Coordinates of all heavy atoms in Angstrom, one line a residue:
M878 N 78.2 37.0 73.5 CA 78.7 36.1 72.4 C 77.4 35.7 71.5 O 76.3 35.5 72.2 CB 79.4 34.9 73.0 CG 79.6 33.9 71.9 SD 80.3 32.3 72.4 CE 80.6 32.3 74.2
C879 N 77.5 35.7 70.3 CA 76.4 35.3 69.5 C 76.8 33.9 68.8 O 77.7 33.7 68.2 CB 76.1 36.2 68.4 SG 75.2 37.5 68.8
L880 N 75.9 32.8 69.2 CA 76.0 31.5 68.8 C 75.2 31.3 67.6 O 74.2 31.8 67.4 CB 75.7 30.5 69.8 CG 76.6 30.5 71.1 CD1 76.1 29.5 72.1 CD2 78.1 30.1 70.8
A881 N 75.5 30.3 66.7 CA 74.6 29.7 65.8 C 74.0 28.4 66.6 O 74.9 27.6 66.9 CB 75.4 29.3 64.5
V882 N 72.7 28.5 66.7 CA 72.1 27.5 67.6 C 71.1 26.7 66.8 O 70.3 27.2 66.0 CB 71.4 28.2 68.8 CG1 70.7 27.1 69.7 CG2 72.3 29.1 69.6
P883 N 71.2 25.3 67.0 CA 70.3 24.5 66.3 C 68.8 24.5 67.0 O 68.8 24.6 68.1 CB 70.7 23.0 66.4 CG 71.7 23.1 67.7 CD 72.2 24.5 67.8
G884 N 67.8 24.5 66.1 CA 66.4 24.5 66.5 C 65.6 23.8 65.6 O 65.8 23.6 64.4
M885 N 64.4 23.3 66.2 CA 63.4 22.6 65.3 C 62.3 23.5 64.9 O 61.7 24.2 65.8 CB 62.8 21.4 66.1 CG 61.9 20.6 65.3 SD 61.1 19.2 66.2 CE 59.9 20.1 67.0
V886 N 61.9 23.5 63.7 CA 60.9 24.3 63.0 C 59.6 23.7 63.6 O 59.2 22.5 63.5 CB 61.0 24.3 61.5 CG1 59.7 25.1 61.0 CG2 62.3 24.8 61.1
M887 N 58.8 24.6 64.2 CA 57.4 24.0 64.8 C 56.2 24.5 63.9 O 55.3 23.8 63.8 CB 57.3 24.6 66.2 CG 58.4 24.1 67.2 SD 58.3 25.0 68.8 CE 56.6 24.8 69.1
E888 N 56.4 25.6 63.2 CA 55.4 26.2 62.5 C 55.9 27.2 61.4 O 56.9 27.8 61.8 CB 54.5 27.1 63.4 CG 53.1 27.6 62.8 CD 52.4 28.5 63.9 OE1 52.2 27.7 64.9 OE2 52.2 29.5 63.5
I889 N 55.4 27.3 60.2 CA 55.9 28.2 59.2 C 54.7 29.1 58.7 O 53.6 28.4 58.5 CB 56.5 27.3 58.0 CG1 57.7 26.5 58.5 CG2 56.9 28.2 56.9 CD1 58.3 25.7 57.5
E890 N 55.0 30.3 58.4 CA 54.0 31.1 57.9 C 54.7 32.2 56.9 O 55.8 32.5 57.1 CB 53.1 31.8 59.0 CG 53.9 32.7 59.8 CD 52.9 33.4 60.8 OE1 52.8 32.7 61.9 OE2 52.3 34.5 60.5
D891 N 53.9 32.7 56.1 CA 54.3 33.9 55.3 C 53.9 35.1 55.9 O 52.7 35.4 56.2 CB 53.7 33.6 53.8 CG 54.2 34.7 52.9 OD1 55.4 34.7 52.5 OD2 53.4 35.8 52.7
R892 N 54.8 36.0 56.1 CA 54.5 37.3 56.6 C 55.0 38.3 55.7 O 56.2 38.7 55.6 CB 55.2 37.6 58.0 CG 54.6 36.7 59.1 CD 55.1 37.1 60.5 NE 55.0 36.1 61.4 CZ 55.9 35.9 62.3 NH1 56.8 36.6 62.5 NH2 55.6 34.7 63.1
D893 N 54.0 39.0 55.0 CA 54.3 40.0 54.0 C 55.4 39.7 53.1 O 56.3 40.4 52.8 CB 54.6 41.4 54.9 CG 53.7 41.8 55.8 OD1 52.4 41.9 55.3 OD2 53.9 42.3 56.9
G894 N 55.2 38.4 52.6 CA 56.1 37.9 51.6 C 57.5 37.3 52.1 O 58.3 36.9 51.3
T895 N 57.6 37.4 53.3 CA 58.9 36.7 54.0 C 58.4 35.4 54.7 O 57.5 35.3 55.5 CB 59.4 37.7 55.0 OG1 59.7 38.9 54.4 CG2 60.7 37.2 55.7
R896 N 59.1 34.4 54.5 CA 58.9 33.1 55.1 C 59.5 33.1 56.5 O 60.7 33.2 56.8 CB 59.6 32.0 54.2 CG 58.9 30.7 54.6 CD 59.2 29.8 53.2 NE 58.5 28.4 53.5 CZ 59.2 27.4 53.8 NH1 60.4 27.4 54.0 NH2 58.5 26.3 54.1
M897 N 58.7 32.9 57.5 CA 59.1 33.0 58.9 C 58.6 31.6 59.6 O 57.7 31.0 59.2 CB 58.4 34.1 59.6 CG 58.7 35.5 59.0 SD 60.5 35.8 59.3 CE 60.5 36.1 61.1
A898 N 59.4 31.3 60.7 CA 59.1 30.1 61.4 C 59.2 30.4 62.9 O 59.8 31.3 63.4 CB 60.0 29.0 61.0
T899 N 58.4 29.5 63.6 CA 58.4 29.5 65.1 C 59.3 28.3 65.3 O 59.1 27.1 64.8 CB 57.1 29.2 65.7 OG1 56.3 30.3 65.3 CG2 57.2 29.2 67.1
V900 N 60.5 28.5 65.9 CA 61.5 27.6 66.2 C 61.8 27.4 67.6 O 61.9 28.3 68.4 CB 62.9 27.9 65.4 CG1 64.0 27.0 65.7 CG2 62.7 28.2 63.9
D901 N 62.0 26.0 68.1 CA 62.2 25.6 69.3 C 63.7 25.3 69.5 O 64.2 24.4 68.9 CB 61.4 24.4 69.7 CG 61.5 23.8 71.1 OD1 62.2 24.5 71.9 OD2 60.9 22.8 71.4
F902 N 64.4 26.0 70.5 CA 65.7 25.8 70.8 C 65.9 25.2 72.2 O 66.2 25.8 73.1 CB 66.5 27.1 70.9 CG 66.4 28.0 69.4 CD1 65.5 28.8 69.3 CD2 67.3 27.6 68.5 CE1 65.4 29.6 68.1 CE2 67.2 28.3 67.3 CZ 66.3 29.2 67.1
G903 N 65.4 23.9 72.2 CA 65.5 23.2 73.4 C 64.7 23.8 74.6 O 65.1 23.8 75.7
G904 N 63.5 24.3 74.3 CA 62.6 24.8 75.1 C 62.5 26.4 75.1 O 61.4 27.0 75.7
V905 N 63.3 27.1 74.4 CA 63.2 28.4 74.2 C 62.7 28.6 72.7 O 63.2 28.0 71.8 CB 64.5 29.2 74.3 CG1 64.5 30.5 73.9 CG2 65.1 29.0 75.7
V906 N 61.6 29.4 72.7 CA 60.9 29.4 71.2 C 61.1 30.8 70.7 O 60.7 31.9 71.5 CB 59.5 29.1 71.3 CG1 58.7 29.3 70.1 CG2 59.2 27.6 71.9
K907 N 61.4 31.0 69.5 CA 61.8 32.3 68.9 C 61.1 32.3 67.4 O 61.1 31.2 66.9 CB 63.3 32.5 68.8 CG 64.1 32.6 70.1 CD 63.8 33.9 70.9 CE 64.6 34.1 72.2 NZ 64.3 35.3 72.8
E908 N 61.0 33.4 66.9 CA 60.7 33.7 65.5 C 61.9 33.7 64.7 O 62.9 34.3 65.1 CB 59.9 34.9 65.4 CG 58.5 34.8 66.2 CD 57.6 33.6 65.6 OE1 57.4 33.6 64.4 OE2 57.2 32.9 66.4
V909 N 61.9 33.1 63.6 CA 63.1 32.9 62.7 C 62.8 33.1 61.2 O 61.7 32.6 60.8 CB 63.8 31.6 63.0 CG1 64.9 31.3 61.9 CG2 64.4 31.4 64.4
C910 N 63.6 33.8 60.5 CA 63.4 34.1 59.1 C 64.1 32.9 58.4 O 65.1 32.4 58.6 CB 64.2 35.4 58.7 SG 64.0 35.7 56.9
L911 N 63.3 32.3 57.4 CA 63.7 31.2 56.5 C 64.1 31.6 55.1 O 64.3 30.6 54.3 CB 62.5 30.1 56.5 CG 62.1 29.6 57.7 CD1 60.9 28.6 57.5 CD2 63.1 28.9 58.6
E912 N 64.4 32.8 54.9 CA 64.7 33.2 53.6 C 66.0 32.5 53.0 O 66.1 32.3 51.8 CB 64.9 34.6 53.5 CG 63.5 35.5 53.6 CD 62.5 35.1 52.5 OE1 62.8 35.1 51.3 OE2 61.4 34.6 52.8
Y913 N 67.1 32.2 53.8 CA 68.2 31.6 53.3 C 68.1 30.1 53.2 O 68.9 29.4 52.5 CB 69.4 31.8 54.3 CG 69.8 33.2 54.4 CD1 70.0 33.8 55.7 CD2 69.8 34.1 53.3 CE1 70.4 35.1 55.8 CE2 70.3 35.4 53.4 CZ 70.5 35.9 54.6 OH 70.9 37.2 54.7
V914 N 67.0 29.5 53.8 CA 66.6 28.0 53.6 C 65.2 27.9 53.3 O 64.4 27.4 54.2 CB 67.1 27.2 54.9 CG1 67.1 25.7 54.7 CG2 68.5 27.7 55.4
P915 N 64.8 28.3 52.2 CA 63.5 28.4 51.8 C 62.7 27.0 51.8 O 61.5 27.0 51.9 CB 63.4 29.1 50.4 CG 64.8 28.8 49.8 CD 65.7 28.7 51.0
D916 N 63.3 26.0 51.6 CA 62.7 24.7 51.5 C 62.6 24.0 52.8 O 62.1 22.8 53.0 CB 63.4 23.7 50.4 CG 64.8 23.5 50.6 OD1 65.5 24.3 51.6 OD2 65.3 22.5 50.3
L917 N 63.0 24.5 53.9 CA 63.0 24.0 55.3 C 61.5 23.6 55.6 O 60.6 24.5 55.4 CB 63.6 25.0 56.3 CG 64.1 24.4 57.6 CD1 65.2 23.3 57.3 CD2 64.5 25.5 58.5
A918 N 61.2 22.6 56.2 CA 59.8 22.2 56.7 C 59.6 22.0 58.1 O 60.5 21.8 58.9 CB 59.6 20.9 55.9
V919 N 58.4 22.0 58.6 CA 58.1 21.8 60.0 C 58.6 20.4 60.3 O 58.4 19.4 59.6 CB 56.5 21.8 60.1 CG1 56.1 21.3 61.5 CG2 56.0 23.2 59.9
G920 N 59.2 20.3 61.5 CA 59.8 19.2 62.0 C 61.4 19.0 61.7 O 61.9 18.1 62.3
E921 N 61.8 19.7 60.8 CA 63.2 19.8 60.4 C 63.9 20.7 61.4 O 63.4 21.6 62.0 CB 63.4 20.1 59.0 CG 63.0 19.2 58.0 CD 63.4 19.4 56.7 OE1 63.1 20.6 56.1 OE2 63.9 18.5 56.0
Y922 N 65.2 20.4 61.5 CA 66.1 21.4 62.2 C 66.9 22.2 61.4 O 67.4 21.8 60.3 CB 67.1 20.4 63.1 CG 66.3 19.8 64.4 CD1 65.7 18.5 64.1 CD2 66.5 20.2 65.5 CE1 64.9 17.9 65.1 CE2 65.8 19.6 66.6 CZ 65.1 18.5 66.3 OH 64.4 17.7 67.3
A923 N 67.4 23.3 62.0 CA 68.2 24.2 61.4 C 69.3 24.9 62.2 O 69.0 25.0 63.4 CB 67.5 25.4 60.6
I924 N 70.3 25.4 61.7 CA 71.3 26.2 62.5 C 70.9 27.5 62.2 O 70.6 28.1 61.2 CB 72.7 26.0 62.0 CG1 73.3 24.6 62.0 CG2 73.6 27.1 62.5 CD1 73.6 24.3 63.5
V925 N 70.5 28.3 63.5 CA 70.1 29.7 63.4 C 71.1 30.6 64.0 O 71.6 30.4 65.1 CB 68.6 29.8 64.2 CG1 68.2 31.1 64.1 CG2 67.8 28.7 63.5
H926 N 71.4 31.7 63.3 CA 72.2 32.8 63.9 C 71.5 34.1 63.7 O 71.0 34.5 62.6 CB 73.5 32.8 63.1 CG 74.5 33.8 63.6 ND1 75.1 33.8 64.9 CD2 75.1 34.9 62.9 CE1 75.8 34.8 64.9 NE2 75.8 35.5 63.8
V927 N 71.4 35.0 64.6 CA 70.8 36.2 64.8 C 69.5 36.3 63.9 O 69.1 37.2 63.3 CB 71.7 37.4 64.2 CG1 72.9 37.6 65.1 CG2 72.2 37.2 62.7
G928 N 68.6 35.3 64.3 CA 67.3 35.3 63.8 C 67.0 34.7 62.3 O 66.0 34.7 61.8
F929 N 68.2 34.3 61.7 CA 68.1 33.7 60.5 C 68.5 32.2 60.3 O 69.6 31.8 60.9 CB 68.9 34.4 59.4 CG 68.5 35.8 59.1 CD1 68.8 36.8 59.9 CD2 67.7 36.0 58.0 CE1 68.4 38.2 59.6 CE2 67.3 37.3 57.8 CZ 67.6 38.4 58.6
A930 N 67.7 31.3 59.7 CA 68.2 30.0 59.6 C 69.1 29.9 58.5 O 68.9 30.4 57.4 CB 66.8 29.1 59.2
L931 N 70.2 29.3 58.8 CA 71.3 29.4 57.8 C 71.6 28.0 57.1 O 72.0 27.9 55.9 CB 72.6 29.7 58.5 CG 72.7 31.1 59.2 CD1 74.0 31.3 59.8 CD2 72.3 32.1 58.1
Q932 N 71.2 26.9 57.7 CA 71.6 25.6 57.2 C 70.7 24.6 57.7 O 70.4 24.5 59.1 CB 72.9 25.2 57.3 CG 73.5 24.0 56.9 CD 75.0 23.8 57.2 OE1 75.8 24.8 57.4 NE2 75.5 22.6 57.2
R933 N 70.3 23.5 57.0 CA 69.5 22.3 57.5 C 70.5 21.5 58.4 O 71.6 21.4 58.0 CB 69.0 21.6 56.4 CG 68.2 20.4 56.8 CD 67.5 19.7 55.7 NE 66.3 20.4 55.2 CZ 66.3 21.2 54.1 NH1 67.4 21.3 53.3 NH2 65.2 21.8 53.7
L934 N 70.0 20.8 59.4 CA 70.8 20.1 60.2 C 70.0 18.8 60.6 O 68.8 18.8 60.8 CB 71.1 20.8 61.6 CG 72.0 20.2 62.6 CD1 73.5 19.9 62.0 CD2 72.2 21.0 63.8
D935 N 70.7 17.6 60.7 CA 70.0 16.5 61.1 C 69.6 16.5 62.5 O 70.3 17.2 63.4 CB 70.8 15.2 60.7 CG 72.1 15.1 61.4 OD1 73.1 15.7 61.1 OD2 72.2 14.5 62.6
E936 N 68.6 15.7 62.9 CA 68.1 15.7 64.4 C 69.1 15.3 65.3 O 69.3 15.9 66.4 CB 66.9 14.8 64.4 CG 66.2 14.9 65.8 CD 64.9 14.1 65.9 OE1 64.5 13.6 64.9 OE2 64.4 14.1 67.1
E937 N 69.9 14.3 65.1 CA 70.9 13.8 66.0 C 72.0 15.0 66.3 O 72.3 15.0 67.5 CB 71.5 12.4 65.5 CG 72.6 12.0 66.5 CD 73.2 10.8 66.0 OE1 72.8 10.1 65.1 OE2 74.3 10.4 66.6
S938 N 72.4 15.5 65.4 CA 73.5 16.5 65.5 C 72.8 17.7 66.2 O 73.5 18.2 67.3 CB 74.0 17.0 64.2 OG 74.6 16.0 63.5
A939 N 71.5 18.1 66.0 CA 70.9 19.2 66.7 C 70.9 18.9 68.1 O 71.1 19.7 69.0 CB 69.7 19.4 66.0
R940 N 70.3 17.7 68.4 CA 70.0 17.2 69.8 C 71.4 17.3 70.6 O 71.5 17.7 71.8 CB 69.4 16.1 69.9 CG 67.9 16.2 69.6 CD 67.1 14.9 69.7 NE 65.7 14.9 69.4 CZ 64.7 15.5 70.1 NH1 65.0 16.0 71.1 NH2 63.5 15.5 69.5
R941 N 72.5 16.8 70.0 CA 73.7 16.6 70.7 C 74.2 18.0 71.0 O 74.7 18.4 72.0 CB 74.8 15.9 69.8 CG 74.7 14.4 70.0 CD 75.9 13.7 69.4 NE 76.5 14.3 68.3 CZ 76.4 13.8 67.1 NH1 75.8 12.7 66.9 NH2 77.2 14.4 66.2
T942 N 74.1 18.8 70.0 CA 74.7 20.3 70.1 C 73.9 21.1 71.2 O 74.4 21.7 72.1 CB 74.7 21.0 68.8 OG1 75.4 20.3 67.9 CG2 75.2 22.5 69.0
L943 N 72.6 20.9 71.2 CA 71.8 21.5 72.2 C 72.1 21.2 73.6 O 72.2 21.9 74.6 CB 70.2 21.4 72.0 CG 69.6 22.2 71.0 CD1 68.3 21.7 70.6 CD2 69.6 23.7 71.2
A944 N 72.3 19.8 73.8 CA 72.7 19.3 75.1 C 74.0 19.7 75.6 O 74.2 20.1 76.7 CB 72.7 17.8 75.0
L945 N 74.9 19.9 74.6 CA 76.3 20.5 74.9 C 76.2 21.8 75.4 O 76.8 22.3 76.3 CB 77.3 20.2 73.8 CG 78.6 20.8 74.0 CD1 79.3 20.1 75.2 CD2 79.5 20.6 72.7
F946 N 75.4 22.7 74.5 CA 75.2 24.1 75.0 C 74.6 24.3 76.2 O 75.0 25.2 77.0 CB 74.5 24.8 73.8 CG 75.1 25.1 72.5 CD1 76.5 24.7 72.4 CD2 74.6 25.7 71.5 CE1 77.0 25.0 71.1 CE2 75.1 26.0 70.4 CZ 76.4 25.8 70.0
E947 N 73.7 23.4 76.6 CA 72.9 23.5 77.9 C 74.0 23.2 78.9 O 74.1 23.8 80.0 CB 71.7 22.6 77.9 CG 71.0 22.5 79.2 CD 70.2 23.8 79.5 OE1 69.8 24.4 78.5 OE2 70.1 24.1 80.7
E948 N 74.7 22.1 78.7 CA 75.6 21.7 79.8 C 76.7 22.7 80.1 O 77.1 23.0 81.2 CB 76.4 20.5 79.3 CG 77.3 19.9 80.3 CD 78.0 18.6 79.7 OE1 77.4 17.8 79.1 OE2 79.3 18.5 79.9
L949 N 77.2 23.6 79.0 CA 78.2 24.6 79.2 C 77.5 25.9 79.6 O 78.1 26.9 79.8 CB 78.9 24.8 77.8 CG 79.7 23.6 77.4 CD1 80.1 23.8 75.9 CD2 80.8 23.4 78.3
G950 N 76.2 26.0 79.7 CA 75.5 27.2 80.0 C 75.4 28.2 79.0 O 75.1 29.4 79.2
L951 N 75.6 27.8 77.7 CA 75.5 28.8 76.6 C 74.1 29.1 76.2 O 74.0 30.2 75.7 CB 76.3 28.2 75.5 CG 77.9 28.0 75.7 CD1 78.6 27.3 74.5 CD2 78.4 29.3 76.0
L952 N 73.2 28.2 76.4 CA 71.9 28.6 76.1 C 71.3 29.6 76.9 O 70.7 30.7 76.4 CB 70.9 27.4 76.2 CG 71.1 26.3 75.1 CD1 70.1 25.2 75.3 CD2 71.0 26.9 73.7
Q953 N 71.6 29.7 78.2 CA 71.1 30.8 79.1 C 71.9 32.0 78.7 O 71.3 33.1 78.7 CB 71.5 30.4 80.6 CG 71.1 31.5 81.6 CD 69.6 31.8 81.5 OE1 68.7 31.0 81.2 NE2 69.3 33.1 81.9
E954 N 73.2 31.9 78.3 CA 73.9 33.1 78.0 C 73.3 33.8 76.7 O 73.1 35.0 76.5 CB 75.4 32.8 77.6 CG 76.2 33.9 77.3 CD 77.7 33.4 77.1 OE1 78.1 32.7 78.0 OE2 78.3 33.9 76.0
E955 N 73.0 32.9 75.8 CA 72.4 33.3 74.5 C 70.9 33.8 74.6 O 70.6 34.7 73.9 CB 72.5 32.1 73.5 CG 72.2 32.5 72.0 CD 73.0 33.5 71.3 OE1 74.2 33.6 71.8 OE2 72.7 34.0 70.3
F956 N 70.0 33.0 75.3 CA 68.7 33.3 75.3 C 68.2 33.9 76.7 O 67.0 33.9 76.9 CB 67.9 32.1 74.9 CG 68.1 31.6 73.7 CD1 68.5 30.3 73.4 CD2 67.9 32.3 72.5 CE1 68.7 29.8 72.2 CE2 68.1 31.9 71.2 CZ 68.4 30.6 71.0
G957 N 69.1 34.3 77.6 CA 68.6 34.6 79.0 C 67.8 35.8 78.9 O 67.7 36.5 77.9
D958 N 67.1 36.1 79.9 CA 66.3 37.2 80.1 C 67.1 38.5 80.3 O 67.8 38.7 81.1 CB 65.5 37.0 81.4 CG 64.4 38.2 81.7 OD1 64.6 39.2 81.0 OD2 63.7 38.0 82.6
P959 N 67.0 39.4 79.2 CA 67.7 40.6 79.2 C 67.6 41.6 80.3 O 68.3 42.2 80.8 CB 67.4 41.3 77.8 CG 66.1 40.6 77.3 CD 66.0 39.2 78.1
W960 N 66.3 41.6 80.9 CA 65.9 42.5 82.0 C 66.6 41.9 83.3 O 67.1 42.7 84.0 CB 64.4 42.4 82.3 CG 63.7 43.1 81.1 CD1 62.9 42.6 80.2 CD2 63.8 44.5 80.7 NE1 62.5 43.5 79.3 CE2 63.0 44.6 79.6 CE3 64.5 45.6 81.2 CZ2 62.8 46.0 79.0 CZ3 64.3 46.9 80.6 CH2 63.5 47.0 79.4
E961 N 66.6 40.7 83.6 CA 67.3 40.1 84.6 C 68.9 40.3 84.5 O 69.3 40.6 85.5 CB 66.9 38.6 84.6 CG 67.7 37.7 85.8 CD 67.3 36.3 85.7 OE1 66.1 36.0 85.5 OE2 68.3 35.5 85.9
E962 N 69.4 40.0 83.3 CA 70.8 40.3 83.1 C 71.3 41.8 83.4 O 72.2 42.2 84.0 CB 71.3 39.9 81.7 CG 71.1 38.5 81.5 CD 71.5 38.0 80.0 OE1 72.0 38.8 79.3 OE2 71.1 37.0 79.7
A963 N 70.3 42.7 82.9 CA 70.6 44.2 83.2 C 70.6 44.5 84.7 O 71.5 45.3 85.2 CB 69.7 45.0 82.4
A964 N 69.7 43.9 85.4 CA 69.5 44.1 86.7 C 70.8 43.6 87.5 O 71.3 44.2 88.4 CB 68.3 43.5 87.3
E965 N 71.3 42.4 87.1 CA 72.4 41.9 87.8 C 73.6 42.7 87.5 O 74.5 42.8 88.4 CB 72.7 40.5 87.1 CG 71.7 39.4 87.7 CD 71.8 38.0 87.1 OE1 72.8 37.9 86.3 OE2 70.9 37.2 87.4
Q966 N 73.8 43.4 86.4 CA 75.0 44.1 86.0 C 74.9 45.4 86.7 O 75.9 45.9 87.1 CB 75.0 44.3 84.5 CG 75.4 43.1 83.8 CD 75.4 43.3 82.2 OE1 75.0 44.4 81.7 NE2 75.7 42.3 81.5
D967 N 73.7 46.0 86.8 CA 73.5 47.3 87.4 C 73.6 47.3 89.0 O 74.0 48.3 89.6 CB 72.1 47.9 87.1 CG 72.0 48.3 85.6 OD1 73.1 48.5 84.9 OD2 70.9 48.6 85.2
G968 N 73.3 46.1 89.6 CA 73.3 46.1 91.0 C 72.1 46.4 91.7 O 71.1 46.7 91.0
P969 N 72.0 46.3 93.0 CA 70.9 46.6 93.8 C 70.2 47.9 93.7 O 69.1 48.1 93.7 CB 71.2 46.1 95.1 CG 72.6 45.9 95.2 CD 73.2 46.0 93.8
Q970 N 71.2 48.9 93.5 CA 70.7 50.4 93.4 C 69.7 50.5 92.3 O 68.7 51.2 92.3 CB 71.9 51.4 93.5 CG 72.7 51.4 94.7 CD 73.7 50.2 94.6 OE1 74.0 49.5 93.7 NE2 74.4 50.1 95.8
A971 N 70.2 50.1 91.0 CA 69.5 50.2 89.9 C 68.1 49.5 90.0 O 67.1 49.9 89.6 CB 70.1 49.5 88.7
E972 N 68.0 48.2 90.6 CA 66.8 47.5 90.7 C 65.8 48.3 91.6 O 64.6 48.4 91.4 CB 67.1 46.2 91.4 CG 65.8 45.3 91.6 CD 65.2 45.0 90.3 OE1 65.9 44.9 89.2 OE2 63.9 44.8 90.3
E973 N 66.3 49.0 92.8 CA 65.6 49.7 93.7 C 64.9 51.0 92.9 O 63.9 51.3 93.0 CB 66.3 50.3 94.9 CG 66.6 49.1 95.8 CD 67.6 49.5 96.9 OE1 67.8 50.7 97.0 OE2 68.0 48.7 97.7
A974 N 65.8 51.6 92.0 CA 65.3 52.8 91.3 C 64.1 52.5 90.2 O 63.3 53.3 90.0 CB 66.5 53.4 90.5
R975 N 64.2 51.2 89.8 CA 63.2 50.8 88.8 C 61.9 50.6 89.5 O 60.8 50.6 88.8 CB 63.6 49.6 88.1 CG 64.5 49.9 87.0 CD 64.7 48.6 86.1 NE 65.6 47.7 86.6 CZ 67.0 47.6 86.5 NH1 67.5 48.4 85.8 NH2 67.6 46.6 87.1
Q976 N 61.7 50.3 90.9 CA 60.6 50.1 91.5 C 59.8 51.2 92.1 O 59.9 52.1 92.0 CB 60.9 49.2 92.7 CG 61.5 47.7 92.3 CD 61.9 46.9 93.4 OE1 61.8 47.3 94.6 NE2 62.2 45.7 93.2

């Protein structure tokens, strides 16, 4: 499942003409494109989907949503370690073959 997750902008930079940000999603930090919300500033929150900030969000709503997602286990589902997930799906034989 792909969620639109709220995150706080920690840093903004221009990369080859594209406005990019480092965004904190309750402890998980990812790079995000700000082209759809070009006036977003450091310290503000945004709803992010598939690597794009889509909309500004107030801090209280962002924190409540992140807490709910964490409680439901959706943050792990959205941001979990892909190698760990693949190993779990493949079973012990696949893990042994990789070693």
